Amino acid sequence: MSKDTNRHITRRNVLAGIGATGIGTAVGTYGVAAGENDSNGKGKNGYIPVPVAVDWQESFYNGKKWKKIDAFPDKNNDGKQDKDINYCDGDKALVNVDDPLSSKWRTDNKYTDPGDPLINFHGLKPGSRGEVTLSYHLCETPGKTWLKAPKVKAHKKFLHEARARVWYDEYPQNNVMASNENNNFDGGYPGDNKYQGYEPIIAQGSLKHVMSKLEEGVQLSENPYVASPYDKEGINYWAYPRKHIDKGRIGYDAYKPGWITDKNIKKYVKKPKVHKIQNLRDGTKFHIPGVGYWAKNKDKPLPDLYIKIKKVIKNKKGKVVGFRWKSNLPICRIKVAGTDDTKKLNVYDRARSGTAFAPRYHDHDDHDHDDHDHDDHKHGGRRPMTGFTFGACGDHDEDDWCIENSNTGYIGFEWWLPKHAKLEKKTKFKANFDFKAKFCPPNGDIPVSTNVQFCGCGQVCACEGGTIYYYRPQMGGSIATAEVEDAPFCGGRGDFGIPQSGQIIAFEGDESGMTFCNPTECASNGLDKFDRDNCDAYGLPSSAGPCNASGFAERYCNGGMNGGMNGGMNGKKKGKKNDNES
């Protein structure tokens, strides 16, 4: 469709790099490909990129109702995303679409033409609002994944006046303790294109603040903390402040969550002196003692919580309605009280910093369409804060950051320009979203097995059959596998269908499990620097000569070469166990 026939709000080129060649582009080549790569296909800083399939559903609010305007895949061309999506399997998988924005599977209507970018609006005026939910799916191997918005184009006043949030669009299904049989207590579900109050916020506040956070990049968690109305203090989180009401017990019901209000704020403020909630100022520091124990363990008392108020957020009347904070402990929830005994729950994925807001007037929720943090109560603005309480959780472990390739994650991004924003003229908003992922071994470490020997990452010797994982730089880079039936064996590039340019990452034995070569070393050294005839540089004994020595694997696995691997594995074959094993 010609741009001349579009309505006053048009969608034009916005995502820099879309449709470019190579990987590391946004919603473009190889799905949303991951990792910044050089021309040789090796990851920058030694990262081995992991291909990521992406899909999206975008909607726009026209002042009266929401309308779905763009989706991928949308083979019916109705602006609504297909229900059945193939992410990784076969030639027709999303991950193999070179440029989703120009794909025939993308919506092609009066709002969107093939090749148009994902988020780009002109002619925006107060009351304009948009939302896009993206889902991401790692293919072939687990990876550590980041969301970025490296290039944002908008007028400074628009960035200041507009509001936004980005959140995990993950409905609280897994940790609901008591709900109906569908674990669906108010109609939501993961990826439902709607912010729910129990979903964890990644960033919220002014559009400028949110996009600055995304420009820095946010690492995504595989299992983000999602709250529910059935969470129990002392089980799902620990309250700060907290009071021990039953001195004879230490169970969760022996404690009562407390609030910081005008009555006790002086007790918790470290500096500067603050006597009322409405006197909060930038730089205020809180010290809240821990009361009780982690998981009823008297050897692990709850640590003290230190909170710094980085910035106080006020409405146009100068009333405090929110704050940006920083913490020494991972925070998963902050409940803020407002006038007339109202409360708002702010949820986070075990964050060390964030933004918390008070509730709104007139029962307006955060997904209503006429909200503005600077509006008064006639327009659904936020209530003045009267108190707040913090909820701390256990920290992320390494597994949280290594996202399995079998999982699909959902990210929601919503922006809006309040009706009462003051702009001199209609404006535009352009942004670029980018998913990046790098290969990560399970548990974040690189285990060493006595059953496997690597010569750099060019060849592997093992005493059992299994699967070789290798990186192939062709076609923008991807990870493939080669099955080995007979064992013991030595092999690598040129063997088992592995190309000469291949780079071995790991070997998963049928019985011993996964063993990793160091992928950072492989990528930084370069594929051409591995000498099959010399393994001294890689920590292997020169006398063993595993890279090319004839019969090495048989001798090593059967007790030769200083006793062999694990004292001799007796030349195991795939699917068989040693006679001596129990």
Side-chain angles (χ1 to χ4, degrees):
M1 179 189 69
S2 171
K3 296 293 189 299
D4 296 334
T5 63
N6 279 0
R7 297 183 177 181
H8 66 281
I9 294 177
T10 59
R11 311 179 69 249
R12 304 183 192 277
N13 190 16
V14 55
L15 297 182
I18 289 181
T21 58
I23 53 181
T25 58
V27 197
T29 303
Y30 213 79
V32 172
E36 297 177 350
N37 289 345
D38 58 25
S39 59
N40 293 323
K42 298 185 289 292
K44 188 175 182 179
N45 298 324
Y47 292 173
I48 293 181
V50 177
V52 186
V54 68
D55 61 85
W56 66 81
Q57 175 69 67
E58 186 175 15
S59 302
F60 184 79
Y61 182 70
N62 61 10
K64 296 182 179 180
K65 64 179 181 179
W66 285 93
K67 181 176 180 60
K68 293 181 178 180
I69 59 174
D70 183 22
F72 174 77
D74 176 19
K75 297 178 182 178
N76 294 326
N77 199 33
D78 57 3
K80 300 178 182 179
Q81 189 181 74
D82 296 344
K83 293 183 178 181
D84 297 324
I85 300 177
N86 175 14
Y87 291 103
C88 303
D89 298 331
D91 295 337
K92 295 184 178 181
L94 291 192
V95 74
N96 292 320
V97 177
D98 289 338
D99 182 4
L101 295 175
S102 300
S103 171
K104 62 182 180 181
W105 296 343
R106 186 192 181 188
T107 304
D108 180 4
N109 57 19
K110 63 182 179 181
Y111 299 100
T112 305
D113 287 336
D116 278 356
L118 180 58
I119 297 179
N120 186 15
F121 292 94
H122 292 246
L124 296 176
K125 60 183 181 179
S128 299
R129 191 180 189 109
E131 192 275 344
V132 60
T133 295
L134 301 105
S135 75
Y136 57 96
H137 192 106
L138 277 65
C139 296
E140 300 180 356
T141 184
K144 295 184 178 182
T145 308
W146 285 262
L147 171 66
K148 300 189 71 176
K151 294 184 179 180
V152 179
K153 293 184 179 181
H155 192 275
K156 290 183 179 180
K157 190 170 182 62
F158 176 78
L159 288 171
H160 176 74
E161 292 285 340
R163 296 292 178 261
R165 70 171 61 90
V166 58
W167 75 98
Y168 288 98
D169 196 2
E170 302 282 356
Y171 193 75
Q173 296 186 92
N174 296 330
N175 60 341
V176 173
M177 298 180 60
S179 95
N180 63 34
E181 62 182 3
N182 296 320
N183 284 343
N184 187 352
F185 43 81
D186 62 1
Y189 55 90
D192 61 2
N193 301 92
K194 183 178 180 180
Y195 167 65
Q196 309 284 351
Y198 297 104
E199 294 173 327
I201 291 289
I202 296 174
Q204 64 179 340
S206 69
L207 181 61
K208 179 180 179 180
H209 170 70
V210 172
M211 301 313 293
S212 296
K213 179 84 171 179
L214 293 177
E215 187 175 4
E216 296 173 359
V218 177
Q219 187 170 3
L220 301 177
S221 169
E222 179 176 40
N223 295 301
Y225 174 89
V226 181
S228 86
Y230 310 102
D231 286 353
K232 297 292 186 180
E233 193 279 331
I235 296 179
N236 301 100
Y237 66 96
W238 287 268
Y240 287 82
R242 193 185 197 215
K243 185 177 181 180
H244 198 174
I245 58 176
D246 188 343
K247 301 294 184 178
R249 298 185 303 112
I250 61 173
Y252 78 90
D253 54 350
Y255 301 88
K256 182 180 180 180
W259 284 80
I260 296 177
T261 65
D262 287 346
K263 294 181 179 181
N264 62 4
I265 189 172
K266 292 188 294 184
K267 176 182 177 181
Y268 299 109
V269 171
K270 187 175 181 181
K271 66 177 184 180
K273 292 183 179 180
V274 174
H275 301 283
K276 292 183 177 296
I277 296 294
Q278 286 298 316
N279 294 142
L280 281 177
R281 65 189 76 171
D282 297 354
T284 301
K285 295 182 179 180
F286 288 87
H287 173 201
I288 309 173
V291 177
Y293 308 91
W294 291 92
K296 301 182 182 180
N297 188 342
K298 288 189 175 183
D299 294 329
K300 294 183 177 181
L302 287 178
D304 292 354
L305 174 66
Y306 294 87
I307 294 286
K308 180 179 180 180
I309 305 300
K310 299 174 62 178
K311 182 177 178 60
V312 173
I313 301 172
K314 299 181 179 181
N315 62 15
K316 69 177 183 180
K317 293 184 178 181
K319 298 295 186 180
V320 177
V321 296
F323 55 87
R324 296 178 192 166
W325 55 271
K326 183 178 181 180
S327 169
N328 68 315
L329 299 179
I331 298 296
C332 54
R333 52 200 290 150
I334 299 176
K335 186 173 286 189
V336 180
T339 55
D340 296 334
D341 197 30
T342 55
K343 298 178 177 64
K344 171 176 171 52
L345 179 64
N346 299 262
V347 180
Y348 315 90
D349 179 30
R350 294 158 283 182
R352 303 280 180 157
S353 63
T355 304
F357 283 116
R360 298 186 182 279
Y361 285 99
H362 301 318
D363 298 323
H364 282 266
D365 201 356
D366 273 356
H367 50 71
D368 289 340
H369 309 309
D370 55 351
D371 45 9
H372 192 313
D373 297 330
H374 298 287
D375 287 345
D376 59 25
H377 67 278
K378 293 182 180 180
H379 307 299
R382 296 192 184 277
R383 296 173 178 269
M385 285 193 337
T386 61
F388 45 84
T389 180
F390 299 92
C393 297
D395 207 348
H396 288 281
D397 57 31
E398 193 65 27
D399 286 343
D400 291 329
W401 302 122
C402 195
I403 298 176
E404 291 293 331
N405 50 301
S406 58
N407 290 351
T408 297
Y410 299 91
I411 298 294
F413 173 78
E414 185 175 15
W415 61 270
W416 64 96
L417 185 60
K419 289 182 179 179
H420 301 277
K422 296 181 179 180
L423 294 179
E424 296 180 357
K425 59 182 180 179
K426 295 178 181 179
T427 187
K428 60 184 178 181
F429 170 38
K430 300 182 179 183
N432 177 20
F433 291 97
D434 191 7
F435 288 93
K436 294 179 180 293
K438 69 173 184 177
F439 175 78
C440 66
N443 302 318
D445 58 1
I446 299 178
V448 177
S449 170
T450 56
N451 297 327
V452 181
Q453 289 278 10
F454 292 95
C455 174
C457 291
Q459 191 168 14
V460 59
C461 296
C463 303
E464 58 182 313
T467 303
I468 299 174
Y469 292 81
Y470 65 92
Y471 173 68
R472 53 186 181 188
Q474 299 91 345
M475 301 297 293
S478 62
I479 295 175
T481 60
E483 298 293 330
V484 181
E485 294 284 344
D486 297 326
F489 73 90
C490 281
R493 300 184 191 119
D495 303 318
F496 314 120
I498 301 174
Q500 290 292 340
S501 60
Q503 178 174 296
I504 294 176
I505 296 172
F507 175 74
E508 184 176 15
D510 294 332
E511 298 181 22
S512 62
M514 190 77 78
T515 305
F516 287 83
C517 169
N518 188 329
T520 300
E521 176 183 325
C522 296
S524 60
N525 287 345
L527 299 177
D528 57 343
K529 294 186 178 181
F530 294 110
D531 185 352
R532 284 188 163 196
D533 297 319
N534 184 1
C535 292
D536 292 343
Y538 310 110
L540 301 181
S542 58
S543 59
C547 290
N548 264 343
S550 176
F552 163 78
E554 287 79 0
R555 288 181 287 126
Y556 199 71
C557 294
N558 282 285
M561 303 294 182
N562 298 322
M565 301 182 181
N566 262 357
M569 299 299 292
N570 301 321
K572 291 188 292 182
K573 300 285 185 179
K574 184 174 182 179
K576 295 183 179 180
K577 294 184 178 181
N578 290 340
D579 294 337
N580 296 329
E581 290 181 345
S582 58

